[in-house]
Amino acid sequence: MVAKQHKGAPDEADLTRADSLAREIFSDIANKWAFLIIESLGEGTLRFSALRNAVEGISHKMLTQNLRMLERNGLVERNVHPTVPPRVEYTLTEPGQALRATVDGMCDWTHRYLGDIEVSRRRFDT
Amino acid sequence: MVAKQHKGAPDEADLTRADSLAREIFSDIANKWAFLIIESLGEGTLRFSALRNAVEGISHKMLTQNLRMLERNGLVERNVHPTVPPRVEYTLTEPGQALRATVDGMCDWTHRYLGDIEVSRRRFDT
DNA sequence: CCGAATCCTCAGCGATACTG
DNA sequence: CAGTATCGCTGAGGATTCGG
């Protein structure tokens, strides 16, 4: 359970610490760009520019920013090849791959219910 | 695949329309509050105020806003009991329940890798 | 109790330019 | 090619209020 941070439970100190950390991680990762990046890296290693093309519509800034965040949380690994021009490659780590599985689930879900959603939207917008 | 919107594929018109719709839905739903709301509603029906308590830290405005969005996309059902004071209950629909499964997966993931992430963060922050 | 509207603020984000 | 920094703006989102 991530939504509610328990208060007054026994063994409180550690529980709430874990919960607030979980919540923090959740807030980091539950964002559109992070998901799309993870999705794209699922196929395999990509370099920065390739990733930029893979994730339609992302800006240079958002890409670096999210990559740093994902790297910090240990979801992607960053490999710099000290050539010129520089070549930087990004790969999913094992935790990243694990998360990818659930992100894939979300993509499947989206395609599965696409029609229903479209219908529901039209009903609502009246 | 949601990340990249294919261009120049055969049968292009419908594919890109579906993709852009998928992308739009993805952008709607892949946000922190939506996930937390879905998580909380997984337990069962909740009324507005209960939901507000369940989702720690959400503002009145964000809650209504996300609930409207989820309702529009057909993930939650809104039931108004015409009593006084009013009583409004929210429930996950079948598509909502289906998505909840993957959101649960993400919660499990979070708790599973909590330790690794904490370590990774400390390494990174130096 | 629930929802919509209004105001106001601050951070997210894009654009641009500069380093290695 | 990849990353960082700066600037400026739009809009997300909190606080508050009123209405049903």
Side-chain angles (χ1 to χ4, degrees):
Chain A
M1 181 60 108
V2 183
K4 172 126 185 139
Q5 304 184 19
H6 315 295
K7 295 192 170 159
D11 234 339
E12 182 179 358
D14 275 7
L15 278 180
T16 57
R17 218 184 64 76
D19 277 0
S20 81
L21 185 59
R23 184 61 174 271
E24 199 186 315
I25 294 167
F26 209 81
S27 303
D28 265 12
I29 291 169
N31 99 59
K32 167 182 150 180
W33 293 128
F35 280 5
L36 292 174
I37 290 170
I38 290 168
E39 250 287 279
S40 297
L41 283 178
E43 317 283 325
T45 297
L46 285 180
R47 43 190 305 191
F48 187 86
S49 46
L51 210 40
R52 191 153 162 49
N53 292 333
V55 181
E56 196 89 353
I58 196 170
S59 69
H60 186 112
K61 187 179 181 178
M62 282 302 97
L63 184 53
T64 45
Q65 191 168 304
N66 277 277
L67 282 171
R68 289 298 156 274
M69 181 274 286
L70 292 172
E71 192 190 354
R72 183 171 114 91
N73 288 312
L75 301 198
V76 308
E77 196 186 322
R78 180 170 175 269
N79 273 86
V80 184
H81 301 254
T83 63
V84 44
R87 182 183 182 79
V88 183
E89 297 187 328
Y90 293 92
T91 319
L92 287 184
T93 61
E94 190 257 321
Q97 285 290 352
L99 183 58
R100 183 176 84 94
T102 87
V103 175
D104 279 351
M106 198 177 147
C107 288
D108 293 347
W109 177 90
T110 306
H111 287 111
R112 168 121 204 284
Y113 289 100
L114 207 65
D116 299 280
I117 292 172
E118 208 173 0
V119 170
S120 174
R121 284 186 172 191
R122 266 206 278 277
R123 277 182 47 84
F124 188 91
D125 296 340
T126 53
Chain B
M1 181 59 107
V2 184
K4 172 128 184 138
Q5 302 185 19
H6 315 295
K7 293 195 173 158
D11 233 337
E12 182 177 359
D14 274 7
L15 278 178
T16 59
R17 218 184 64 78
D19 278 359
S20 81
L21 185 59
R23 183 62 173 270
E24 200 186 315
I25 294 166
F26 209 81
S27 302
D28 264 12
I29 293 169
N31 99 58
K32 168 181 148 180
W33 293 128
F35 279 6
L36 292 173
I37 291 170
I38 290 169
E39 250 287 278
S40 298
L41 283 178
E43 317 283 325
T45 297
L46 286 179
R47 42 189 308 191
F48 186 87
S49 45
L51 210 39
R52 190 152 162 49
N53 292 333
V55 182
E56 196 89 353
I58 196 169
S59 68
H60 187 111
K61 185 180 182 178
M62 282 302 97
L63 184 53
T64 44
Q65 190 168 302
N66 277 276
L67 282 171
R68 289 297 156 273
M69 181 274 287
L70 292 171
E71 192 190 355
R72 183 171 113 92
N73 289 312
L75 301 198
V76 307
E77 195 185 323
R78 180 170 176 269
N79 273 86
V80 183
H81 301 253
T83 62
V84 46
R87 181 184 182 81
V88 183
E89 297 186 327
Y90 294 93
T91 319
L92 288 183
T93 61
E94 191 256 323
Q97 284 289 353
L99 183 58
R100 182 176 85 95
T102 88
V103 175
D104 279 352
M106 198 176 147
C107 289
D108 292 348
W109 178 90
T110 305
H111 287 112
R112 169 119 204 287
Y113 289 99
L114 207 65
D116 300 281
I117 292 172
E118 209 174 359
V119 170
S120 175
R121 284 186 171 191
R122 266 206 279 275
R123 277 181 48 83
F124 187 91
D125 295 341
T126 54

